[in-house]
Each structure stands twice: as structure tokens, then as C-alpha cells.
Amino acid sequence: MEDKKYNNEFEEFGKSNKDVSYLEIGAPNREALQKCATIMKTAADHRFAAEQADGHLFQYGPTRGDYHFRELMAAFLSKQYHSVVEREDLLVTSGATAGLRFLTTLFFPTGSIIFLEDPTYFIAITLLRDELGMNVIGVPMKGSEIDVELLEQLLVKHSSSMLQPTEARPFSSMLYLVPTFNNPRGLSYSTETCEALVRVARKHNILLFCDDVYNLLHYESTPPKRLFSYDDKKHPEYKGNIVSNGTFSKILGPGLRLGWYEAPRRVLQPFLTSPTLLSGGCVAQVMSGIMASVLELGLLTTHIEYLGTTYQARMQAAVECLKKELPMGSTITKPVGGYFIWVKLGFPVNAKDILALALEKYSVSFATGAGFSLNSSSCTAYDNCLRICIAHYSCDKLLHAISRLCAAVKEFAPSNDLPM
């Protein structure tokens, strides 16, 4: 591959044409990143002034991560979640994707059975199946949530092929899911489903790996309760079956490559003796130290408030625009947090065909629904579905792009389905 100069990943993969609106891009826009630059400069100056006295931040870091960062992060998350987060449950990672990869390779050998909600984040599918060689099995949705009854049936069906637990690898299998402001559908699991998942995880000794990357971007006064908090430490059957995988990519900037696990002791312990951490120490020592100053100075709280207000306005405007301009019979999710809107068109069509026309004629692109399924090549259930991100463009540009997308959709719609 030719080595060219790119400013970011989107330029590298041909998604930087200023005349095209890429509604599939799930990343902050330029204005949010400029604010991030100001925040990080202030925090770096604050932390580095202290480091000139001893330089501890530039030494190999503690395996769990910077103590001060974890202490401040626990207090910050407790306030944001409206639920207690304990410092000793946190371990620093280099982002959500790296967190998924590190945990999976530590606990599950190649070929292990791993379950995923279906549809789900497409990179999780390719990472687990194609890069790590896991035997991935999709668990379909029932309405807006994972089908827990079917999950249990699949666990029973495949039980003889799952791992035999050991002290180092205490789980028989893992379920990957995005239970809060889901990617791709933007919705959150109900209390009933969360409670059922915890019961199933305990009964069948599986790990629930929650990609909790959108939880802090909620547009109501009280956020959805994260799945991790349903695994109550005081419950008589508690063993610790859930990991919350967090990141600063969506709430500050993806280039920071900083995240965290919130996890039970039996999950964290193998990390603390992992050769990766014993050799290199904390995987993001300097960045987590700077982030401690971001938290100490209250800069992240202010930024998340800005993002919440901004994204809520975009989300509401985008949903209203879609409702007004899409053909009749279309189903549009109405998320109260996160990045994404999921659209199911009311007539049979392959969204890939719409995408081709939208790019060529209307200079707009989006993510096709089938791409979020484990069976993307043969899946038909999501052929007429698409995902839109509201984070990457200003409200005006977003709405203009959605109008062009709707114009492309109308060219495929039966005449009697067109809006009046």
C-alpha cells in the first residue's frame, strides 16, 4: 500500500470529498475537536507543571492505570451515571476497540464460541470473527432488544462446545452487546431485559461485554441504567459477569486513544498479571495523567453538557426531517442519546442500490443495515434498513444531507408511498 500523507482515517479511506456528505461516519465533527484541542492544552499545561518536580507520569505506569485518574474518573462517572462507580473496579485501556481485543485474547483462545447481538457494531464482528478467529454466533433482536430467550436456547445448544472454566479463564463464553444507545439502532435495553441477561449470564457462566461508548451522551435528565449496575455485588449469586467498556472517543476525541474497563475483580485480576501490562505498565500512562487534569479542572463536565445540548438538537431535527421527507410506512427510531438513527423503509428494496444512487446523483452516503449483521452477505431482514449518524456535521449540513438522502430513497419508492 502506498504511503501517503493523510490527516485522518477518513481521508485515508476516501471519505474526505467536501462535496459529499458521509452520514455513515460515527465521529465528532471539526468544531467539537477544536474544543478538544483547547481542553487538552489546558489540562496538559496543568499536569506537566506538576510533573516537572518528579516526572512520575513518564515512567512505566501502574498496571491498573494512574491512581489519581481512576479516583477522579470514578467520581465523575458516579455523578454522570447517577450510580456508584468504584475506583478499584476501573482499569485504563487504550480505547474501546483495543479494550475488546485485549480482553478477548486474554480470556478466550482462538476458535472459542462468542455470541453477538445481531445487528451490532460491524467492527466488533470483523474483529472477533476475522482477525481473532472466534466462532461467532449471532443472537437476533426481538423488537428493539436482544432476544434473551433465544440466547439461552443457543447457550444450551452449544454448551458442549464452549470452554471449560479455569481460574485464569473463568468464563465459558462471551456475549458482545451495545445495550445503551445501541450502535446501529440508537435504542437502549429495558430493565426487564437487563435483569434477564444477568440471570442468564450467571446461570451459564458467560461474560457480558458491554460496549458502553455512548452512555454519557444522554439527552434526558436521567441516563439509562448501565447493564453493569444490574450485576449487584450484594446479590447472593453474584460472581461478576459483566464488563463495561468505556472510551473518550465519542465524548472528547478518538485520537486520544484512551478508555477504561469497569469490571469485577475476577476479570481484572488476570490483566494485572498479564505480560503485556507487566512489561509496559499502563497502556496509556501519559494520556490518562493528562485526563486526570481534564477531570480535576471540570473541563469534561462542561464539554459533555455542550455535546448533549448540541446532539439533542441535531437528533430532534434529523428525526423530524426524516419523518417529513421519507416515503410513508418508514419506521424511524427516536433515540434519546448517542449518535445514531435507524431507518427501516416501508417497502422492499436493497439499501445498497439506494446508496449507489445517493452517492452518484445526490452526493450523500450512509451505512446500509445489512452491514451490521453477522450474515451481511445473505441477510435480507435488514436489506431495507439504513443508519444515519448525527454527530459529524453541523445541524444545517446534516439536514441538507438528509433531504438529499430522502430524495434518493423516493426514486425507489412506490408512487402511493410518497409523502403528500
Side-chain angles (χ1 to χ4, degrees):
M1 180 181 294
E2 187 177 357
D3 182 16
K4 294 183 178 181
K5 180 182 178 180
Y6 301 108
N7 291 306
N8 55 59
E9 184 181 40
F10 307 119
E11 288 185 8
E12 182 178 3
F13 292 101
K15 296 186 178 182
S16 59
N17 186 335
K18 294 182 179 179
D19 295 325
V20 178
S21 298
Y22 303 95
L23 295 180
E24 71 272 26
I25 293 179
N29 70 354
R30 186 175 182 178
E31 181 182 359
L33 296 179
Q34 288 170 334
K35 291 180 180 293
C36 177
T38 302
I39 290 169
M40 295 306 293
K41 182 181 185 306
T42 301
D45 289 345
H46 177 266
R47 184 62 188 251
F48 291 166
E51 288 303 317
Q52 288 177 336
D54 50 48
H56 289 321
L57 190 62
F58 299 96
Q59 186 55 273
Y60 290 105
T63 52
R64 290 178 181 267
D66 183 79
Y67 185 96
H68 189 44
F69 164 75
R70 290 185 296 111
E71 190 170 50
L72 290 167
M73 194 64 189
F76 171 79
L77 290 173
S78 296
K79 187 174 181 179
Q80 292 289 321
Y81 287 156
H82 297 197
S83 173
V84 175
V85 174
E86 300 181 36
R87 183 200 66 249
E88 55 266 32
D89 290 342
L90 300 181
L91 186 145
V92 173
T93 71
S94 54
T97 303
L100 173 60
R101 193 185 196 286
F102 193 2
L103 182 143
T104 304
T105 55
L106 190 62
F107 285 94
F108 301 99
T110 300
S112 297
I113 291 178
I114 303 291
F115 298 90
L116 297 89
E117 62 180 3
D118 191 349
T120 196
Y121 177 41
F122 63 96
I123 291 296
I125 298 172
T126 55
L127 173 65
L128 294 169
R129 180 188 62 200
D130 303 336
E131 183 174 329
L132 300 184
M134 299 297 167
N135 180 6
V136 298
I137 298 173
V139 185
M141 309 298 271
K142 186 176 183 180
S144 61
E145 305 176 282
I146 193 169
D147 189 335
V148 182
E149 184 177 343
L150 180 55
L151 168 64
E152 186 154 27
Q153 293 173 7
L154 289 169
L155 288 168
V156 172
K157 177 181 177 181
H158 295 281
S159 60
S160 61
S161 301
M162 295 193 302
L163 297 179
Q164 292 298 314
T166 63
E167 184 176 351
R169 289 173 167 164
F171 301 102
S172 299
S173 185
M174 181 174 84
L175 169 66
Y176 171 89
L177 66 169
V178 189
T180 305
F181 308 134
N182 173 271
N183 181 7
R185 308 209 301 174
L187 303 176
S188 301
Y189 287 5
S190 67
T191 296
E192 292 75 20
T193 294
C194 290
E195 290 174 345
L197 282 169
V198 172
R199 289 195 296 269
V200 168
R202 290 171 177 168
K203 178 179 178 181
H204 295 276
N205 194 40
I206 65 169
L207 178 66
L208 305 183
F209 186 96
C210 305
D211 242 352
D212 284 339
V213 300
Y214 305 102
N215 298 45
L216 301 179
L217 298 175
H218 56 89
Y219 312 144
E220 295 182 328
S221 58
T222 303
K225 188 177 176 181
R226 70 198 187 288
L227 184 54
F228 183 87
S229 64
Y230 285 91
D231 196 12
D232 186 356
K233 294 179 180 179
K234 297 178 182 178
H235 194 281
E237 297 179 8
Y238 174 83
K239 293 182 180 179
N241 288 77
I242 302 179
V243 170
S244 174
N245 188 42
T247 180
F248 289 92
S249 293
K250 310 303 185 185
I251 59 175
L252 205 50
L256 299 172
R257 303 321 307 149
L258 178 65
W260 68 92
Y261 296 131
E262 183 184 11
R265 180 176 299 178
R266 68 169 174 160
V267 170
L268 292 180
Q269 188 58 43
F271 284 99
L272 305 182
T273 56
S274 161
T276 299
L277 295 185
L278 290 178
S279 173
C282 172
V283 296
Q285 170 72 351
V286 172
M287 190 57 69
S288 62
I290 297 172
M291 194 59 64
S293 287
V294 172
L295 294 165
E296 185 177 339
L297 298 173
L299 302 175
L300 187 56
T301 298
T302 302
H303 189 65
I304 286 180
E305 289 173 354
Y306 157 76
L307 291 179
T309 301
T310 302
Y311 290 166
Q312 181 181 29
R314 287 185 204 166
M315 184 71 78
Q316 290 176 344
V319 169
E320 289 304 314
C321 184
L322 289 164
K323 287 169 62 177
K324 179 181 178 182
E325 299 192 30
L326 280 176
M328 291 184 290
S330 300
T331 302
I332 305 158
T333 59
K334 301 175 183 177
V336 292
Y339 270 21
F340 304 114
I341 300 170
W342 180 259
V343 176
K344 182 177 178 64
L345 300 173
F347 57 93
V349 65
N350 193 322
K352 293 179 181 178
D353 296 331
I354 299 176
L355 176 59
L357 177 70
L359 264 172
E360 180 181 355
K361 185 175 179 180
Y362 296 97
S363 298
V364 62
S365 62
F366 57 88
T368 59
F372 297 94
S373 175
L374 272 70
N375 303 307
S376 58
S377 59
S378 59
C379 174
T380 58
Y382 307 114
D383 274 355
N384 65 338
C385 297
L386 52 99
R387 190 203 71 177
I388 295 169
C389 177
I390 57 92
H392 196 61
Y393 295 101
S394 68
C395 197
D396 288 344
K397 289 184 178 180
L398 174 65
L399 296 181
H400 185 49
I402 289 175
S403 292
R404 303 198 310 273
L405 168 59
C406 291
V409 172
K410 289 173 187 174
E411 295 204 27
F412 290 84
S415 58
N416 59 336
D417 283 348
L418 295 175
M420 301 298 289

